[in-house]
Amino acid sequence: MARSLNRVLASLILAALAGGLALALLDHHRAAEVLWAVATIAVLVPLAIDVARSLLKGDVGVDAIALVAIVGALLLGEYLAGVIIALMLAGGNALEDYAQGRATRELRSLVDRAPRIGHRREGDAIVEVPVERLAIGDTLVIRAGEVVPADGTVAGAREAVIDTSALTGEPLPVTVPVGGAVLSGTSNAGEAFDLGVDRPAAESAYAGVVRLVRQAAEQRAPFVRMADRYAIVFLPVTALVAGTAWALSGDPVRALAVFVVATPCPLILAAPIALVAGLSRAAALGIIVKGGGAIEALGGARTVLFDKTGTVTSGEPEIEHVVALDDLPPQEVVRLAASLDQHSAHALAEALVHGAVRDGLALSPPTDTRETPGQGIVGVVEGRQVAVGSGAWLEQLGYEGARHASRALDGAATVGRAKVVVGVDGALSGVIVMADHIRPEATQLADALRDVGIQHVALVSGDRREIADEVGRLVDVDVVYAEQSPEDKLDVVRAIRAQERLRPVVMVGDGINDAPALALADVGIAMGAQGATVSSETADVVVTVDKVDRVTDAVRIGRRSLHIARQSVILGLGASLIAMVFAAFGYLPPVAGALLQEGIDVAVIVNALRALR
């Protein structure tokens, strides 16, 4: 509503300016001046109210200079100059609204495309239901081109072709096999497929992203608030120059001209537009930044701290290799173990099943399963007796040499890895080695951050020293902090923030244990690809795609946005200061000064919008 009012007011002021010029050409000068005066007062009244409110709060805002310029123009009978100043303010607000809308387009598109209905199978019928009524276990039909309304698993007999570009920015669709996970907010780029709902829509990945987006772009950045603090210096300087010009020349119009060209629209407009444009650019890459303040802090960041699990590593154990101990091929060992583990609640069992499905192995339903929590599981798969678990536990079941087979693989190459022993029909069949792998893009992460100006990159992990050191060496960080509890991580962040040369500090994590450190850091970045978590609610920035190199993109965007904001303000104010000198010496009358300031406004807005690129 406010945006449309600003556009209407700017249009009316422009019409009044044009109408007055037409009347002046017809020698109706008095009518022209009345029209210009009325249009100027239409802007003066709300401006005076805003300035009065600011003064009551003890805040001398930059609008005070514009108020003095308009009042002076009316008192001195410079009605044409007054209406041009009014057009400058109203047009500036309209331009800012346009730029704000342009800058937040990607943010709004994420919210606008949120699915509102799902097509649920109910017997032989397909029923259209609101997404809030979807429940775990429902089977949905995802039609061609449809946005997936809830997180789930591909069901039925047909794989899915998924367009993830809305969340990841990746242009090419991906094929998800039966049993593979699909996130809400992605869309079906192939034929219709069935989806088993794993989470209610309100708890899904996309719902989390939408909540985060609605928090973004609402905060006023410290750099933007600094614009009002500039007025504390800029207003007295302007008054001094104007007063001196009046005193030396005896012409009050020179003083008015100084105030006209000093109207600091570049200071008001440039910083918020550039920073919000940075928010939009980041959103297009799957990075949700909660306000311009976080963009500004990213722009000045000198230190980046990374958690290990789920941040530098994938956070989910994967099959690294299989050691066969009898005639069964390694893939058959994995297939039988994963088939049995479908009935296990162990975290490694879930990872083993996912890995087997990703590798295209056909799993069979197990029967007669019995599980000892934390130790292993036995059961029947395709008529064969299968046991999966630790070497010590399998040895208790009568599998001789199971403990030795597991220990024989111990060594530097298996630090931080889990070994799953598999027995089939009373004989040891193999050992599956599982590891939390380093993300492929993480190996270049530290160098990429240094290239954009980060001075200190460190790994802060709760893992054992030997595991953390190995990961730190592979990703080439400067320092490794190992065996860190949540409280210890707070101490690390606090100690680094105490060193001025290393601030601002960015902390990157994904788990509940990272939330305190994310909150304490100057910028907390949460890896939130799986939806809203405690860490993503605490963080200033949420990476909604499963790629840690987006951290580098966030820093790069922050630096560029802050540079453009500062550049726009400095150039705009510099131009205004030069114009003030010319006005003081009588070379720039109020009307010409107002037109010049209008040109400066347009230039700084266009320059600020470069942050979108």
Side-chain angles (χ1 to χ4, degrees), residues 358-534:
R358 278 196 300 268
D359 290 342
L361 301 180
L363 306 186
S364 299
T367 58
D368 300 329
T369 57
R370 301 186 313 279
E371 183 171 17
T372 302
Q375 297 295 321
I377 184 172
V378 296
V380 177
V381 177
E382 299 174 355
R384 310 186 74 169
Q385 189 72 30
V386 181
V388 178
S390 67
W393 187 71
L394 260 71
E395 197 155 285
Q396 291 176 13
L397 296 181
Y399 287 87
E400 293 185 10
R403 189 194 303 263
H404 174 73
S406 177
R407 287 179 177 173
L409 295 176
D410 286 344
T414 58
V415 170
R417 287 149 174 81
K419 294 174 284 294
V420 180
V421 182
V422 182
V424 179
D425 292 335
L428 289 176
S429 295
V431 178
I432 302 172
V433 180
M434 304 190 71
D436 183 11
H437 289 151
I438 294 175
R439 298 173 183 268
E441 70 272 18
T443 57
Q444 305 297 322
L445 186 60
D447 286 341
L449 286 168
R450 294 183 187 109
D451 288 343
V452 296
I454 297 298
Q455 299 175 12
H456 185 68
V457 183
L459 186 71
V460 186
S461 174
D463 272 335
R464 300 195 309 273
R465 167 61 63 182
E466 60 269 25
I467 299 173
D469 282 345
E470 180 191 10
V471 174
R473 177 182 59 80
L474 291 172
V475 299
D476 193 28
V477 297
D478 300 312
V479 179
V480 174
Y481 300 92
E483 301 176 9
Q484 301 289 304
S485 67
E487 293 78 12
D488 294 332
K489 291 182 179 181
L490 277 176
D491 291 339
V492 170
V493 173
R494 193 176 291 115
I496 295 177
R497 289 187 77 237
Q499 303 178 56
E500 188 65 31
R501 66 182 182 85
L502 296 180
R503 293 185 62 181
V505 176
V506 177
M507 175 71 195
V508 186
D510 78 317
I512 293 175
N513 63 329
D514 299 318
L518 293 176
L520 180 62
D522 297 291
V523 182
I525 301 181
M527 300 297 294
Q530 297 305 314
T533 63
V534 173

Side-chain angles (χ1 to χ4, degrees), residues 163-505:
D163 177 3
T164 64
S165 59
L167 292 183
T168 67
E170 296 295 334
L172 299 178
V174 296
T175 300
V176 181
V178 175
V182 177
L183 293 179
S184 60
T186 57
S187 58
N188 182 9
E191 298 181 25
F193 67 93
D194 285 358
L195 181 84
V197 176
D198 293 338
R199 279 194 281 189
E203 300 174 10
S204 67
Y206 201 70
V209 171
V210 169
R211 283 194 296 273
L212 294 169
V213 168
R214 284 173 174 156
Q215 295 173 26
E218 297 299 328
Q219 302 176 23
R220 199 174 177 203
F223 186 79
V224 179
R225 289 195 296 269
M226 195 181 300
D228 288 338
R229 293 200 293 273
Y230 271 107
I232 298 173
V233 176
F234 201 63
L235 181 56
V237 169
T238 302
L240 179 62
V241 173
T244 302
W246 187 356
L248 294 178
S249 68
D251 184 3
V253 175
R254 289 196 185 185
L256 172 62
V258 170
F259 272 103
V260 168
V261 296
T263 305
C265 287
L267 199 61
I268 300 169
L269 302 176
I273 290 173
L275 296 179
V276 173
L279 300 183
S280 184
R281 181 72 189 100
L285 295 176
I287 305 165
I288 306 302
V289 184
K290 302 178 185 178
I295 279 282
E296 181 190 351
L298 282 169
R302 296 177 181 171
T303 297
V304 178
L305 308 176
F306 288 96
D307 173 52
K308 182 185 76 69
T309 305
T311 304
V312 173
T313 65
S314 64
E316 179 179 326
E318 298 176 1
I319 300 169
E320 187 173 79
H321 64 276
V322 181
V323 179
L325 300 176
D326 63 6
D327 295 335
L328 278 181
Q331 279 206 323
E332 183 65 8
V333 173
V334 172
R335 191 183 73 82
L336 291 173
S339 294
L340 179 60
D341 268 345
Q342 291 177 104
H343 279 199
S344 174
H346 196 281
L348 280 178
E350 183 180 358
L352 181 58
V353 171
H354 287 169
V357 170
R358 278 196 300 268
D359 290 342
L361 301 180
L363 306 186
S364 299
T367 58
D368 300 329
T369 57
R370 301 186 313 279
E371 183 171 17
T372 302
Q375 297 295 321
I377 184 172
V378 296
V380 177
V381 177
E382 299 174 355
R384 310 186 74 169
Q385 189 72 30
V386 181
V388 178
S390 67
W393 187 71
L394 260 71
E395 197 155 285
Q396 291 176 13
L397 296 181
Y399 287 87
E400 293 185 10
R403 189 194 303 263
H404 174 73
S406 177
R407 287 179 177 173
L409 295 176
D410 286 344
T414 58
V415 170
R417 287 149 174 81
K419 294 174 284 294
V420 180
V421 182
V422 182
V424 179
D425 292 335
L428 289 176
S429 295
V431 178
I432 302 172
V433 180
M434 304 190 71
D436 183 11
H437 289 151
I438 294 175
R439 298 173 183 268
E441 70 272 18
T443 57
Q444 305 297 322
L445 186 60
D447 286 341
L449 286 168
R450 294 183 187 109
D451 288 343
V452 296
I454 297 298
Q455 299 175 12
H456 185 68
V457 183
L459 186 71
V460 186
S461 174
D463 272 335
R464 300 195 309 273
R465 167 61 63 182
E466 60 269 25
I467 299 173
D469 282 345
E470 180 191 10
V471 174
R473 177 182 59 80
L474 291 172
V475 299
D476 193 28
V477 297
D478 300 312
V479 179
V480 174
Y481 300 92
E483 301 176 9
Q484 301 289 304
S485 67
E487 293 78 12
D488 294 332
K489 291 182 179 181
L490 277 176
D491 291 339
V492 170
V493 173
R494 193 176 291 115
I496 295 177
R497 289 187 77 237
Q499 303 178 56
E500 188 65 31
R501 66 182 182 85
L502 296 180
R503 293 185 62 181
V505 176

Side-chain angles (χ1 to χ4, degrees), residues 12-99:
L12 291 176
I13 301 298
L14 180 61
L17 174 61
L21 290 173
L23 288 171
L25 289 174
L26 296 173
D27 289 330
H28 298 298
H29 296 286
R30 185 58 185 165
E33 290 176 346
V34 169
L35 184 59
W36 290 334
V38 170
T40 303
I41 292 171
V43 172
L44 174 63
V45 172
L47 177 63
I49 293 172
D50 287 343
V51 171
R53 286 174 178 169
S54 297
L55 290 174
L56 289 174
K57 297 176 183 177
D59 180 15
V60 182
V62 289
D63 285 338
I65 297 175
L67 178 63
V68 173
I70 289 179
V71 171
L74 291 174
L75 291 177
L76 294 175
E78 293 283 348
Y79 302 112
L80 178 56
V83 77
I84 293 175
I85 298 169
L87 178 62
M88 179 170 59
L89 290 174
N93 289 333
L95 281 171
E96 182 180 11
D97 290 341
Y98 166 76

